[in-house]
Amino acid sequence: MLEKLLLNHYEAAAVILSGIGLTNLLLQRNLIKKIIGLNIMDTAVYLFLAAKGYVEGRAAPILLENGSGGWITNPDVYVNPVPAGLVLTGIVVSVSVTAFALALTLKLYENYGTLNIDEALLRMTNEQAELESQIIDAESEEEVL
Amino acid sequence: MTNIFAFNIPFVSIFLLMIAAIITPVLPVRNRIPEKLSCWVIAIVAVMSAYLLYSLTNGSQSIAFNFPMGHFPAPWGNELRAGPLEAVLSLSFCIVMLLSLLGNFSSTEEDIAPGRRQVFCVLMNLLTASLLALTYTNDLFTGYVFIEITTMAACGIVAAKESAETVRAALRYLVMSLVGSGLVLIAICMLYDLTGHLLMQNMHEAIQVIVITKNYMIPLTVSLALITTGLAVKSALYPFAFWLPDAHGTSTNASSAVLSGLILKGHIFLLIKIYCRVFGLDVIHALGMDTVIFILGVAAMIMGSVHALRQTNIKRMIAWSSVAQVGYIFLGLGLNTTAGIAAACLHIIIHASIKPMLFTSAGGLSTAAGHKKGLHALMGTFYANRWAGLGMIAGACSMMGVPAFAGFSSKMSLMLASFDSPFVVFSLAALAASSVLNALYYVPAVIVILTHRRNVIADTPAPTRLYKISMSIFLALNFYLGLFFMPLLRLITRGVNVL
């Protein structure tokens, strides 16, 4: 068991990181911490992909000269370019999601003055209760009149 | 082989909607030009999808084709794939999207600030494009990218009303969606690692080898569990559905209609494609995932309705009912047979056409009650807006499974499909119990709106012509799907067979 973990230490690290990220995303009450959790989770996936895409002893997937004016076209010399492409796409997606989440968080803060979703719900229900009691007061005053 | 025009339709539809989304922000806002452009583009895509469906099914044999994107052939390049099932789903998604936008036109104008309506149109176009992409994609990573685009556009249309309540609902929805798409991303990376491919048919071949050699069975099971959980969170399967009532119940009516009717379905169809085309139904059965989603589906059917019973706000009630209806789809998927999946797909189409009708009606009724959404405030509103009232009654009958209404046909197909399954008793019992529970909250709602009240609000605005037109098309669709569903079911079965 331990041997396998040591052999795949990048993957093990990626799994642990993504676990940390996911727990933060789910359990943190503060939205900024939630978003940081999301970023940790995404980064863990990139680590996993990068570790899987790297083969020891092979070159980056850019054609190398073979010394006699030509190019080395044997695919076994290079690593697979797809995982790197996936990491790039993933980074783009995670940057835009983060920006969007931060924008919504800002809106929430403007509206409620808190970064905690549950706190926001509590404040909203309190406000509603106050509003309703005001309406009831106004109605009872009308009845008295 | 299909003709060259039909061959290009999947790509052109997505591309056209994307282009429309990109040029909308620079259009002049006068004369409702952005709204008109969105509606016209969606209508054109609907016509094209109808033509694609016709050309794929007019021969005696059903055909499906792969459309290569870019210059690299399979297994390296990216592909779209279209068959009868994909075509019929994109046709119904476009029709429902169009009707939801048109029917809620006036309430959208009330809820969304004039400067923001253009952005709302951009989001709707993006949503339609990403739904079609989820339907047509043959590449799992493309699927992931469009899941994220759907997430952001969907949260955008929830927050479009810009009230404090909708911003909170949108954030809650965003967090849950990100959990879901994160799990999907991890699962896709694991599957890519196991199979070395991202195209569905190549992954399927590699998974067959894994199952035969029994190497790497644990990572395969884990990735199946992760991808199912991720997409179940996105499609609001019961234990993961608590974000849904907030998001669907507080947003503007057009957003609620689109979210409940379409967004959930796009993710469920992607899951169906992954089950059928990547893993294969026998592998799903061997790994025991069919039993898990069957149980979760039954739980959703019961618990969704139980939660709906406790609601006093009509939109939240309809939103919880969506959770129950998603349970029906997962029940069909859990039967793990062609008939079960065909019934699930039929229910996708039927629920996609009824739920937007219910939200549009609820919007009309609450406008008649002076924008109050509490059930008690809706008393007698049928007489203020009869079109909305009719929609609510027809939708309620459909949800209860009254014959001749659309919901009946999918419930019957699900019942017939469950006879091939070992879970037949549980399935029938769950369907019966769920129908009774549906009646328990829809019947009182209908009684409330039909009850006469002495002091009915006199100055209710009359429903607009667009509202009447879209509501009558919704009603016609409801009866058509309830009475003449067999050809559609046969078409879907043909589609499932070539999936």
Side-chain angles (χ1 to χ4, degrees):
Chain A
M1 186 66 191
L2 196 65
E3 261 175 45
K4 279 184 184 170
L5 274 182
L6 283 176
L7 191 67
N8 298 311
H9 54 284
Y10 283 116
E11 288 80 352
V15 169
I16 294 169
L17 269 180
S18 69
I20 294 172
L22 187 69
T23 334
N24 271 301
L25 181 57
L26 274 175
L27 301 182
Q28 285 286 357
R29 303 275 38 129
N30 184 315
L31 276 164
I32 302 288
K33 289 183 184 169
K34 265 189 198 293
I35 295 169
I36 293 173
L38 162 79
N39 279 300
I40 296 175
M41 187 167 81
D42 282 346
T43 315
V45 179
Y46 309 146
L47 173 66
F48 182 80
L49 274 173
K52 283 288 157 197
Y54 177 67
V55 182
E56 197 142 8
R58 291 198 186 183
I62 303 166
L63 282 182
L64 295 171
E65 287 182 42
N66 61 4
S68 54
W71 305 103
I72 303 174
T73 52
N74 179 12
D76 292 338
V77 176
Y78 307 104
V79 297
N80 183 357
V82 175
L86 297 185
V87 171
L88 260 176
T89 319
I91 289 174
V92 173
V93 170
S94 110
V95 165
S96 39
V97 169
T98 309
F100 182 65
L102 286 173
L104 274 180
T105 310
L106 204 62
K107 276 267 171 203
L108 186 89
Y109 191 75
E110 278 173 12
N111 279 310
Y112 293 98
T114 172
L115 286 172
N116 183 327
I117 297 192
D118 299 335
E119 178 79 31
L121 180 68
L122 206 69
R123 290 188 189 184
M124 193 181 71
T125 30
N126 287 347
E127 271 173 28
Q128 266 179 356
E130 268 178 34
L131 214 72
E132 274 167 20
S133 64
Q134 278 172 6
I135 291 169
I136 292 168
D137 288 348
E139 278 174 1
S140 54
E141 273 174 27
E142 272 175 22
E143 274 172 22
V144 170
L145 286 171
Chain B
M1 191 59 214
T2 47
N3 64 46
I4 191 78
F5 181 62
F7 183 67
N8 283 292
I9 283 177
F11 169 71
V12 173
S13 321
I14 299 169
F15 193 66
L16 212 61
L17 286 158
M18 288 275 184
I19 294 284
I22 291 167
I23 62 168
T24 305
V26 295
L27 288 177
V29 278
R30 60 171 195 280
N31 294 339
R32 296 171 175 155
I33 290 175
E35 286 93 337
K36 283 178 189 163
L37 177 87
S38 303
C39 292
W40 275 111
V41 170
I42 294 171
I44 291 169
V45 172
V47 172
M48 291 200 301
S49 309
Y51 179 74
L52 176 65
L53 179 64
Y54 166 76
S55 67
L56 285 174
T57 51
N58 65 347
S60 56
Q61 276 193 324
S62 293
I63 37 175
F65 61 82
N66 291 351
F67 179 89
M69 303 275 291
H71 297 289
F72 293 100
W76 300 285
N78 197 341
E79 275 184 353
L80 296 178
R81 184 181 182 282
L85 188 57
E86 285 92 341
V88 75
L89 279 171
S90 38
L91 173 64
S92 40
F93 287 170
C94 288
I95 293 175
V96 173
M97 181 63 102
L98 193 60
L99 290 177
S100 310
L101 286 180
L102 291 179
N104 295 300
F105 209 86
S106 49
S107 75
T108 309
E109 294 209 323
E110 273 172 28
D111 284 343
I112 296 174
R116 300 282 175 163
R117 280 179 216 150
Q118 255 175 321
V119 185
F120 190 69
C121 293
V122 173
L123 292 176
M124 284 298 184
N125 282 330
L126 269 183
L127 264 181
T128 323
S130 53
L131 272 174
L132 293 196
L134 286 180
T135 315
Y136 284 127
T137 184
N138 195 24
D139 180 294
L140 267 191
F141 203 76
T142 312
Y144 164 71
V145 173
F146 279 99
I147 286 176
E148 292 284 29
I149 296 177
T150 318
T151 303
M152 282 195 274
C155 291
I157 63 170
V158 173
K161 212 167 153 183
E162 290 192 283
S163 67
E165 201 184 11
T166 52
V167 170
R168 195 182 51 81
L171 257 174
R172 205 169 163 204
Y173 178 26
L174 183 68
V175 170
M176 282 317 285
S177 290
L178 290 177
V179 172
S181 46
L183 294 178
V184 173
L185 177 63
I186 295 171
I188 290 175
C189 292
M190 285 178 76
L191 279 175
Y192 177 62
D193 182 31
L194 288 171
T195 61
H197 291 286
L198 286 168
L199 286 180
M200 292 186 179
Q201 68 274 17
N202 302 97
M203 289 178 115
H204 181 67
E205 285 160 17
I207 285 175
Q208 293 293 325
V209 175
I210 291 175
V211 171
I212 292 167
T213 55
K214 296 250 180 271
N215 275 335
Y216 301 113
M217 279 306 272
I218 295 174
L220 188 71
T221 318
V222 171
S223 57
L224 175 65
L226 284 177
I227 214 161
T228 308
T229 318
L231 285 170
V233 172
K234 311 276 300 179
S235 50
L237 186 60
Y238 172 65
F240 318 113
F242 286 89
W243 55 266
L244 182 141
D246 259 356
H248 294 200
T250 56
S251 52
T252 182
N253 297 328
S255 307
S256 310
V258 169
L259 286 165
S260 256
L262 304 178
I263 312 286
L264 304 176
K265 310 300 160 22
H267 296 115
I268 299 177
F269 183 62
L270 185 66
L271 188 66
I272 293 179
K273 270 184 104 160
I274 290 172
Y275 276 13
C276 294
R277 285 180 50 72
V278 177
F279 286 91
L281 294 182
D282 43 348
V283 177
I284 299 287
H285 182 66
L287 298 180
M289 194 47 83
D290 53 344
T291 318
V292 175
I293 57 172
F294 180 86
I295 294 169
L296 290 181
V298 171
M301 284 161 70
I302 307 295
M303 292 312 291
S305 293
V306 168
H307 280 282
L309 271 171
R310 294 161 51 190
Q311 303 303 319
T312 51
N313 173 323
I314 182 135
K315 281 183 79 175
R316 289 181 75 90
M317 185 192 92
I318 300 174
W320 270 114
S321 143
S322 284
V323 176
Q325 301 294 319
V326 165
Y328 284 84
I329 302 174
F330 275 92
L331 177 119
L333 195 52
L335 296 174
N336 209 34
T337 55
T338 310
I341 289 170
C345 290
L346 181 70
H347 195 68
I348 287 180
I349 294 175
I350 283 174
H351 185 243
S353 53
I354 302 169
K355 199 39 71 82
M357 178 171 84
L358 275 168
F359 271 115
T360 311
S361 312
L365 293 174
S366 69
T367 309
H371 294 284
K372 289 188 188 119
K373 297 195 176 65
L375 269 171
H376 57 278
L378 296 181
M379 192 179 278
T381 43
F382 175 84
Y383 306 99
N385 184 347
R386 284 174 196 261
W387 286 94
L390 275 179
M392 179 57 81
I393 295 170
C397 291
S398 191
M399 288 291 160
M400 290 181 268
V402 175
F405 290 91
F408 168 75
S409 54
S410 57
K411 278 184 189 172
M412 196 177 80
S413 333
L414 280 171
M415 284 187 178
L416 290 177
S418 33
F419 282 101
D420 302 335
S421 149
F423 309 121
V424 54
V425 180
F426 298 107
S427 170
L428 293 182
L431 281 162
S434 173
S435 298
V436 172
L437 281 169
N438 285 344
L440 279 180
Y441 55 90
Y442 275 113
V443 169
V446 168
I447 292 175
V448 165
I449 65 165
L450 282 173
T451 310
H452 265 297
R453 190 171 56 171
R454 281 195 207 117
N455 51 345
V456 183
I457 308 113
D459 56 341
T460 307
T464 59
R465 201 178 51 177
L466 271 178
Y467 190 91
K468 289 180 193 164
I469 293 173
S470 52
M471 192 52 81
S472 37
I473 300 176
F474 269 135
L475 287 168
L477 261 178
N478 193 346
F479 284 112
Y480 174 77
L481 290 172
L483 293 169
F484 309 105
F485 66 97
M486 274 320 276
L488 182 64
L489 187 60
R490 273 198 292 274
L491 192 74
I492 291 173
T493 313
R494 281 169 75 177
V496 173
N497 283 330
V498 291
L499 200 64

